[in-house]
Amino acid sequence: MAKIHVDGKQYKVDGGNNLLQACLSMGLDIPYFCWHPALGSVGACRQCAVKQYRDADDKTGRIVMSCMTNTQDDTYISIADEEAVEFRQSIIEFLMTNHPHDCPVCEEGGHCHLQDMTVMTRHHSRNYRFDKRTHLNQDLGPFIGHEMNRCISCYRCVRYYRDYAGGTDLGVYGTASNVYFGRVEDGVLESEFSGNLTEVCPTGVFTDQTHSEKYTRKWDMQFAPSICSGCAAGCNVSPGERYGEVRRIENRYHGALNGYFLCDRGRFGYGFSNNKDRPKQPVLKIENRRKVVSTEVGAEQARAIVGGAKKILGIGSPRASLEANYALRKIVGADRFNSGIADHEHALIRQVSEILRGPIGAANIRDIEDADCVLLLGEDVTQTAPRVALAVRQAGRGKMATEGAKKNIADWQVISLADLVQQQRNPIVIATPEASRLDDAASTLYRADPNRIAQLGFAIAHRIDPSAPDGAGLDETASKLAADIAQALCAAKKPLVISGTASGSAAMLHAAGNVAWALKAKDIAVSLSLTVPEANSMGASLFDAPAVESGLQCAADGEVDVLIVLENDLYRRAPKALVDAAMSKARVIVIDHQMSETGKQADLMLPAGTVFESDGTFVNMEGRAQRFFQVFDPTYYDRSVSVQESWRWCALMGDMDWTSLDDVSAQCSAEMTQFSVIAEAAPNAQFRMKGMKMARAPHRYSGRTAMRANLSVHEPRATQDADSALAFSMEGVNGSMNLDRPSELLPFAWAPGWNSPQAWNKFQDEVGGQLRGGDSGEPVLLADAGAKTSYFKASSNGAEGLHIVAVHHIFGSEEQSALSAAIQKRVPQSCVFVSQQDAEQLGLKELARVSIGDDSVNLPVRISESLTPGSVGLPLGFKGVPFAVPGASIKLGAA
């Protein structure tokens, strides 16, 4: 801690920070542009100038840049000094010299850090009367818009994109006052994290292209605290709605998880909620023809079907909330509830749960960033848990902080640190069957099939702790590599082991667990991160229900009269023949928000709300229960719409007396001890501040009358939310009063004088730290972590002949985001990947006949330089690719 004096007042601050960060953490306002909490200081914009004095007696002082000045004990500064104020005014006027007067049409207007800082600096007029410098803009793809004329040359974009995110196709060109930030030529930005440019950029140079299509000012959108449903990382997001459509997704700061950044799937994959072909009313099949019916008729038909059934089966979903799954389980009975997870995934997720209940528990994303040596076994995390991949890159860059500490260089002095370490990085070992997007960050790469990678992991654990089982069948090169990796892990202070379920290999998970436990046995502060497939895969698995195929087999054998499918496309979970047989033998009710292949065959389709239209709880891959809240009520805009939360449809079918989500959560937590803490994941619906609910919309919200003026000039009453402490509209706690509201109930970032995403700093206990009152979420899985366990046996689950290696892609593999128009523009073509040797032996050229069980399709052939012979890469979940189990046998032939 350090004691500093600011304009005559004394503050205690963190002595390791620069003056800018220290002052912002104390709630003091200093304008800035180039500095960012995650990017450090470069002193490029000169906007954060303050007056610094030698001591209390010094009356002259000197102008310093607060972002480049260390916080030391008994530092005396002035923010309000007249010379400092005048200096900042001159800097902002210089920066605005070539800036266009386009705030009324700029997509960043009202959401702009430049506007905030201009107002803070009291700059209101310009003396420049000559021609402005202009630039041509570039086409950067379907995600990012480009308007270079708004640039103020803060360099944030390239520092984030190249240094932080590891991108290579965005740069800065030119010199002096004529610099250009973009690509060498027009083209799609390649980084999976390019969308963060829209929030990193303090002006409107990089904007959200998906938002541009139906642009809405920030103050005219309604927000809610939500959780990204794109993967199991559990990133916190702020979806914005207008006219009954989700208009954009922004990052919602969470200190332990996503921090300031999201992946592009999570940011741009919301379009599925706006699709026009979504079911909005119940659809009843009559004589093989689908007929739209009313809510009342749909509920009546559902009750009649369920009430007349003798044998009923409920199939849950890993993309549905805990409450929705529980509601279905309550209706059908615990012994007739199915998790809805594919058999192979179900077994692997249970293994993850078992391992994370061991002596280490699960690492969050901040733990991953803090690691100083990473071993990644079998998982291409860029595609399966993208935010984890971005954190791994920061673990590699952590070498700067380590070496800087030896030279007494603060970790925010990024230029000095970069010069110090040059190209040195913390060791990152990546062992995957196929090339990954993280390979450029790796110090060591190992390519093999999943079984051999698992054996490498077992060998590493054995070399760390000889009591751990050794891997089998390793050649001399692999054995030496195992010894080298073990030595690097043992030499680290905070090693990290990452693996997951994507490879389909239980042996891979066991090997990762053994390595972590072996390090733990050596008293090394090791972390462990294991990924699972979907937003609520962990939560669904904790119901301890059977996997999907057993239930489908019962239905196919005629043992089920009625099948209720909750937010699930069964054709993604089991072989087509089995699903067809099951659905032909039973009456089927589907509750979903998309008309999937399963929904098309249902006898009754009930329209569910998406994650943006519902309240509920997800359990992420580390076992953290987090609440997401309804952004808007779709029935407010169209009373004929029957969309409602899945658990409400279940309540109607089962005549349950639940009136709010709290009722469902309370009953679930009371009945199932594994979910005993979910009611604590967020304040309940009775929570109030100053006797009021929390406002979902900013205080400048235009109101509802204008939104419905084409229908009626009479303003209907806003929907009264019984499920949360949030109010639909701007009515309730808002503005300056929201600084102390619970972090779980923060729908968007706004503070007095701060409209841009930089306002999140106002809600943190210190800039870059946790949110005030703690980061959101409650530990479900980790509540009983720390149990003693023994090493796994060095098992093998390798297949003979050609076997499937799962190839995942951030754009296309995940079911919901793949339905979004913007994402579809980035989805690669479905194909089959083979090694050169296999292609020659099988006579494969442009097209291959791919046979998996009873399913056969023709797919284009792609030669992989990374896959080992016998491994066949298949993009699972892609259109035109049949259901397949990683590691299973596959047949290939010339088409």
Side-chain angles (χ1 to χ4, degrees), residues 446-619:
Y446 179 72
R447 295 280 180 261
D449 62 63
N451 181 59
R452 277 182 282 183
I453 293 173
Q455 299 310 313
L456 175 71
F458 286 123
I460 294 169
H462 177 72
R463 282 151 182 78
I464 296 170
D465 182 359
S467 65
D470 198 357
L474 293 179
D475 56 31
E476 184 178 346
T477 302
S479 294
K480 183 180 184 305
L481 178 61
D484 292 342
I485 296 171
Q487 183 177 0
L489 290 168
C490 289
K493 293 182 179 178
K494 294 181 179 179
L496 168 70
V497 181
I498 300 177
S499 190
T501 61
S503 67
S505 171
M508 191 85 72
L509 295 171
H510 294 167
N514 278 10
V515 173
W517 295 339
L519 290 165
K520 180 72 172 179
K522 296 290 185 182
D523 290 326
I524 298 173
V526 61
S527 297
L528 177 64
S529 178
L530 301 176
T531 67
V532 295
E534 297 178 66
N536 203 26
S537 290
M538 193 69 81
S541 74
L542 292 174
F543 280 91
D544 293 328
V548 74
E549 286 190 25
S550 62
L552 292 177
Q553 191 61 58
C554 288
D557 293 340
E559 299 175 12
V560 173
D561 295 324
V562 172
L563 200 61
I564 304 177
V565 182
L566 172 69
E567 297 187 39
N568 211 329
D569 185 0
L570 300 180
Y571 289 96
R572 295 176 64 92
R573 312 290 181 185
K576 182 178 184 299
L578 177 59
V579 179
D580 286 343
M583 297 187 72
S584 67
K585 295 289 183 67
R587 299 197 72 182
V588 180
I589 300 174
V590 172
I591 307 171
D592 207 346
H593 49 75
Q594 304 294 326
M595 187 59 77
S596 66
E597 290 302 312
T598 302
K600 291 175 183 177
Q601 299 188 44
D603 295 283
L604 177 62
M605 176 79 183
L606 299 175
T610 66
V611 67
F612 310 113
E613 299 160 344
S614 307
D615 298 87
T617 307
F618 286 153
V619 179

Side-chain angles (χ1 to χ4, degrees), residues 135-217:
H135 294 289
L136 294 176
N137 303 320
Q138 291 184 316
D139 180 358
L140 300 178
F143 295 161
I144 305 297
H146 190 227
E147 177 51 81
M148 254 306 294
N149 293 315
R150 299 172 185 153
C151 182
I152 59 171
S153 302
C154 71
Y155 287 81
R156 268 197 194 182
C157 57
V158 291
R159 289 167 54 214
Y160 160 74
Y161 195 89
R162 298 178 70 91
D163 299 341
Y164 193 95
T168 57
D169 59 317
L170 180 77
V172 54
Y173 309 96
T175 59
S177 62
N178 189 29
V179 293
Y180 189 92
F181 297 88
R183 289 171 51 91
V184 172
E185 58 185 6
D186 286 17
V188 176
L189 287 171
E190 296 170 1
S191 172
E192 294 82 2
F193 309 97
S194 63
N196 293 306
L197 290 170
T198 65
E199 293 186 29
V200 166
C201 176
T203 74
V205 177
F206 298 100
T207 54
D208 185 336
Q209 192 89 314
T210 65
H211 184 211
S212 303
E213 295 168 3
K214 290 188 176 181
Y215 180 73
T216 305
R217 295 291 187 195

Side-chain angles (χ1 to χ4, degrees), residues 752-812:
W754 297 79
N755 294 280
S756 77
Q758 300 298 302
W760 283 116
N761 296 336
K762 291 289 183 179
F763 299 92
Q764 299 159 7
D765 55 6
E766 64 174 336
V767 172
Q770 68 175 15
L771 291 171
R772 294 182 182 181
D775 292 318
S776 62
E778 288 293 325
V780 173
L781 184 64
L782 304 188
D784 56 355
K788 298 285 186 180
T789 189
S790 56
Y791 289 117
F792 290 105
K793 294 181 180 179
S795 57
S796 171
N797 54 357
E800 297 292 333
L802 296 177
H803 56 273
I804 298 169
V805 169
V807 175
H808 298 270
H809 200 280
I810 183 174
F811 308 124

Side-chain angles (χ1 to χ4, degrees), residues 201-284:
C201 176
T203 74
V205 177
F206 298 100
T207 54
D208 185 336
Q209 192 89 314
T210 65
H211 184 211
S212 303
E213 295 168 3
K214 290 188 176 181
Y215 180 73
T216 305
R217 295 291 187 195
K218 177 178 181 176
W219 58 76
D220 279 338
M221 285 191 286
Q222 186 167 240
F223 300 85
S226 193
I227 307 299
C228 179
S229 61
C231 77
C235 295
N236 287 212
V237 294
S238 287
E241 169 269 341
R242 181 72 167 175
Y243 296 120
E245 293 182 333
V246 179
R247 292 293 173 88
R248 74 182 302 172
I249 297 287
E250 290 184 288
N251 182 70
R252 184 165 66 96
Y253 183 87
H254 191 293
L257 293 177
N258 42 294
Y260 294 95
F261 305 121
L262 297 174
C263 75
D264 286 356
R265 179 200 283 171
R267 187 179 293 276
F268 303 115
Y270 61 85
F272 67 90
S273 187
N274 300 334
N275 285 343
K276 300 304 180 184
D277 60 353
R278 279 184 56 193
K280 294 294 183 68
Q281 290 88 20
V283 179
L284 181 65

